[in-house]
Amino acid sequence: MKILLAGGAGYIGSHTALALLNSGHDVVIADNYYNASPEAVRRVEKLTGKPVTLYEADVQDRDAMMKIFKENDIDCVIHFAGLKAVGESVKKPLFYYRNNIDTTLTLLECMEATGVKNFVFSSSATVYGAENAIPYVETMHRGSCSNPYGWTKYMMEQILTDAVAADPDMNLVLLRYFNPIGAHESGMIGEDPKGIPNNLMPYISQVAVGKLDHLTIFGNDYDTPDGTCRRDYIHVMDLAEGHVKAVEYIADHPGTNIFNLGTGTPYSVLEIVKAFEKANDLKIKYEFGPRRAGDLPEFWANADKAKKVLGWTATRTLEDMCRDSWNWQKQNPNGYRD
Ligand code: UFG
């Protein structure tokens, strides 16, 4: 199949591009490089030995996107072109709503105009909100989100579901990611956050490489086994392979299908720090600080549906995730700017 990856030069998009190419699919990428780099795509081409059709384009730009749809015979779209920093979304809600909703509408309009019927969406566990019991199951209602970023995912899921309900020939897969970490085992592609990282693993990696002095663990008084928050961390290559399964499933399965992509096993912040130290034989300086606003104490996936229906399951261990994150960071201390 020929797959358009909107926002495909970012962290999850680039790893998915690699997995799709290695599975024999063709890849077209449109990206404005806001939180991404063309160098990631060049490295994907090098690793796979296969070409990617790459466009520098803002996915909100309808004319630019129409040109891409017309120039390529697209079978399926995967939408990664979302802004994703929780804290930034609280400060700049309009920026988040404009980008995330507009990119989704533009893709849907271009698909309608050119007859493309398959849409895979990068969603998030954040849509389960704070009300649902854990582990999260796909049959649960979406909950209320604690920040604008989360609400954009919630709203985008709704927009997509409505669009698909109105067209019996359209197929939609919503992939709800848990906490993606790690990097391709080569260390040539990985996560390259803008500025000081918000997320745990890039923060730990940058402490390890000496760019940041120490990690602050946000709260150690939660009602969890060691008092720190627990999450379902998933290796980004497992996540990427989940997209390949979704793309190969979607065309024969009309309507909306939702899958959690997680491991089903939670780890605490302290467990992640210890695992990183052990896997890489180094020490991470950390201290405990106050809780971060909006953090839930713990959540993880029920990952049964993806296993049963897609035949997908996460196979990489926490040790793999820690080793590969560090392998990427130490080879690329300044990300793609090296
Ligand atoms: N953490 C720290 N110190 C840090 C960074 C993170 O202690 O410097 C802790 C957080 O408090 C949390 C855990 O590490 O307990 C994981 O934090 P991340 O920021 O890596 O991930 P989140 O679980 O907060 O965020 C994820 C996704 C978002 C999604 C959100 C839903 O990255 O896309 O879950 O809650 F919206």
Side-chain angles (χ1 to χ4, degrees):
M1 290 168 83
K2 186 176 269 197
I3 325 290
L4 172 63
L5 275 56
Y11 174 44
I12 298 170
S14 57
H15 288 79
T16 300
L18 184 144
L20 286 167
L21 290 165
N22 281 341
S23 301
H25 298 287
D26 294 322
V27 170
V28 178
I29 290 179
D31 202 303
N32 65 358
Y33 309 133
Y34 177 75
N35 192 19
S37 168
E39 177 60 20
V41 180
R42 279 193 283 276
R43 294 189 189 182
V44 166
E45 290 181 315
K46 207 166 170 186
L47 283 165
T48 58
K50 294 179 182 171
V52 170
T53 308
L54 177 62
Y55 293 88
E56 180 171 359
D58 189 323
V59 180
Q60 291 177 72
D61 181 340
R62 197 172 186 280
D63 292 342
M65 294 308 296
M66 270 310 292
K67 181 171 177 286
I68 295 171
F69 276 86
K70 283 184 179 151
E71 284 178 7
N72 296 278
D73 198 7
I74 304 293
D75 297 302
C76 179
V77 172
I78 312 183
H79 181 11
F80 297 105
L83 299 169
K84 60 169 188 177
V86 172
E88 186 184 43
S89 79
V90 175
K91 293 193 187 103
K92 300 180 185 173
L94 302 185
F95 181 49
Y96 269 65
Y97 285 112
R98 170 64 72 193
N99 181 84
N100 288 4
I101 307 289
D102 248 14
T103 49
T104 306
L105 293 173
T106 301
L107 287 169
L108 284 169
E109 285 169 0
C110 291
M111 289 170 70
E112 188 176 55
T114 56
V116 179
K117 298 295 181 188
N118 301 309
F119 197 121
V120 174
F121 181 58
S122 240
S123 192
S124 165
T126 197
V127 302
Y128 288 107
E131 296 90 352
N132 281 304
I134 40 178
Y136 295 150
V137 189
E138 293 89 341
T139 46
M140 290 170 167
H141 286 294
R142 289 189 294 263
S144 50
C145 301
S146 57
N147 56 74
Y149 156 77
W151 281 115
T152 67
K153 291 286 180 195
Y154 181 111
M155 290 173 192
M156 289 187 281
E157 283 202 355
Q158 188 63 46
I159 290 167
L160 288 162
T161 306
D162 289 343
V164 168
D167 179 349
D169 295 330
M170 269 198 86
N171 312 313
L172 171 65
V173 170
L174 303 176
L175 297 177
R176 292 182 178 158
Y177 308 159
F178 281 69
N179 286 58
I181 59 173
H184 184 255
E185 61 180 8
S186 64
M188 280 177 64
I189 56 170
E191 186 170 11
D192 181 18
K194 257 187 168 180
I196 296 176
N198 301 297
N199 297 111
L200 181 63
M201 188 51 88
Y203 206 103
I204 291 176
S205 306
Q206 292 198 14
V207 170
V209 85
K211 288 183 78 180
L212 295 167
D213 179 64
H214 68 278
L215 169 73
T216 300
I217 296 181
F218 300 138
N220 62 342
D221 58 350
Y222 284 98
D223 186 15
T224 58
D226 65 17
T228 66
C229 293
R230 295 200 297 168
R231 296 285 182 272
D232 184 337
Y233 296 93
I234 174 172
H235 195 295
V236 66
M237 283 309 301
D238 278 328
L239 192 74
E241 288 162 9
H243 290 74
V244 177
K245 292 286 188 186
V247 158
E248 291 171 354
Y249 166 90
I250 193 168
D252 303 326
H253 296 87
T256 298
N257 287 284
I258 307 175
F259 297 100
N260 286 340
L261 294 183
T263 65
T265 304
Y267 290 103
S268 73
V269 179
L270 267 177
E271 284 174 316
I272 296 292
V273 172
K274 298 294 164 205
F276 190 93
E277 291 183 332
K278 187 160 179 254
N280 300 315
D281 195 21
L282 44 74
K283 282 278 167 214
I284 297 297
K285 196 170 145 195
Y286 68 86
E287 60 184 37
F288 293 113
R291 293 181 177 195
R292 182 170 69 177
D295 275 347
L296 294 176
E298 53 183 5
F299 61 83
W300 61 93
N302 174 322
D304 294 349
K305 187 179 172 194
K307 184 172 184 184
K308 197 166 147 218
V309 179
L310 297 179
W312 171 90
T313 190
T315 58
R316 292 160 180 89
T317 64
L318 180 59
E319 190 185 347
D320 297 332
M321 301 181 215
C322 292
R323 187 199 54 233
D324 292 338
S325 291
W326 177 230
N327 190 31
W328 151 255
Q329 184 73 63
K330 73 178 177 209
Q331 287 185 50
N332 305 272
N334 299 308
Y336 292 112
R337 286 165 296 283
D338 286 323

